[in-house]
């Protein structure tokens, strides 16, 4: 099972879903992991005409290890089409996975995470947890900006 998880991470690190900053974002965040230098600029794009805010997609650019890049790719897939409440639930579930220090979550929360469950092994290595969480913290910050401020993201 561990080899399967490693393959999921490698696949997402190579084929980066959501990679490339797109114009028209509602919010943006730039985050750096001071421990290793990984960095990401993430933009959240909200769907128009919905009663509650819904994430249409996220776009991002960043430099860093395969763990941070793969985590951003998985995040992009998971939050596309999700409302903000669901995105918060996903973020908190991923944080719980990282806090578990390599212990799997219960089946319900594991199903919620999909490919993000592959990062369970990363949680065994405290120095790598920040790498995996970098994009998730950027998402949380970008959503906060999108929901509390008029769009200040400059078009590309």
């Amino acid at each position: 099972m561990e080899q399967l998880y490693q393959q999921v991470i490698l696949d997402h690190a190579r084929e980066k879903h959501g990679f490339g900053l797109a114009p028209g974002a509602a919010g943006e965040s730039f985050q750096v992991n001071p421990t290793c230098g990984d960095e990401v600029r993430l933009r959240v794009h909200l769907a128009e005409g919905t009663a509650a805010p819904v994430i249409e997609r996220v776009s991002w650019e960043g430099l860093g290890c395969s763990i941070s890049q793969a985590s951003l790719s998985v995040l992009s897939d998971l939050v596309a089409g999700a409302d903000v409440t669901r995105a918060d639930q996903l973020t908190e579930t991923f944080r719980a996975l990282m806090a578990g220090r390599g212990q799997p979550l219960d089946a319900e929360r594991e199903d919620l995470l999909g490919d993000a469950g592959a990062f369970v092994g990363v949680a065994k290595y405290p120095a790598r947890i920040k790498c995996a969480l970098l994009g998730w913290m950027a998402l949380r910050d970008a959503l906060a900006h999108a929901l509390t401020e008029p769009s200040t993201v400059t078009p590309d």
Side-chain angles (χ1 to χ4, degrees):
M1 188 61 103
E2 194 168 314
Q3 286 181 340
L4 174 64
Y5 287 161
Q6 289 173 350
Q7 191 60 49
V8 168
I9 291 171
L10 290 173
D11 288 347
H12 274 279
R14 276 190 288 261
E15 299 291 328
K16 301 172 187 170
H17 303 182
F19 186 79
L21 293 176
E28 179 177 290
S29 177
F30 179 75
Q31 300 289 318
V32 175
N33 179 349
T35 307
C36 64
D38 288 1
E39 59 183 54
V40 64
R41 181 173 308 280
L42 182 138
R43 292 181 178 172
V44 64
H45 305 263
L46 299 178
E48 295 185 24
T50 58
V54 172
I55 300 169
E56 182 178 304
R57 65 186 170 129
V58 297
S59 61
W60 61 275
E61 285 185 349
L63 300 169
C65 68
S66 60
I67 292 170
S68 68
Q69 302 290 286
S71 184
L72 280 153
S73 177
V74 169
L75 174 153
S76 296
D77 290 346
L78 283 174
V79 301
D83 63 31
V84 172
T85 302
R86 173 88 168 172
D88 282 342
Q89 180 185 23
L90 287 164
T91 300
E92 286 307 309
T93 304
F94 191 78
R95 285 174 55 120
L97 181 71
M98 293 296 103
R101 303 288 190 205
Q103 297 301 311
L105 296 173
D106 58 77
E108 182 180 335
R109 292 190 298 169
E110 198 168 299
D111 287 346
L112 177 69
L113 286 180
D115 278 356
F119 290 85
V120 67
V122 171
K124 294 177 186 176
Y125 306 99
R128 306 308 296 221
I129 291 171
K130 287 184 181 181
C131 300
L133 286 172
L134 185 66
W136 296 89
M137 297 305 98
L139 173 65
R140 179 167 276 171
D141 187 51
L143 279 171
H145 288 290
L147 299 174
T148 60
E149 304 170 1
S151 182
T152 57
V153 178
T154 57
D156 290 314

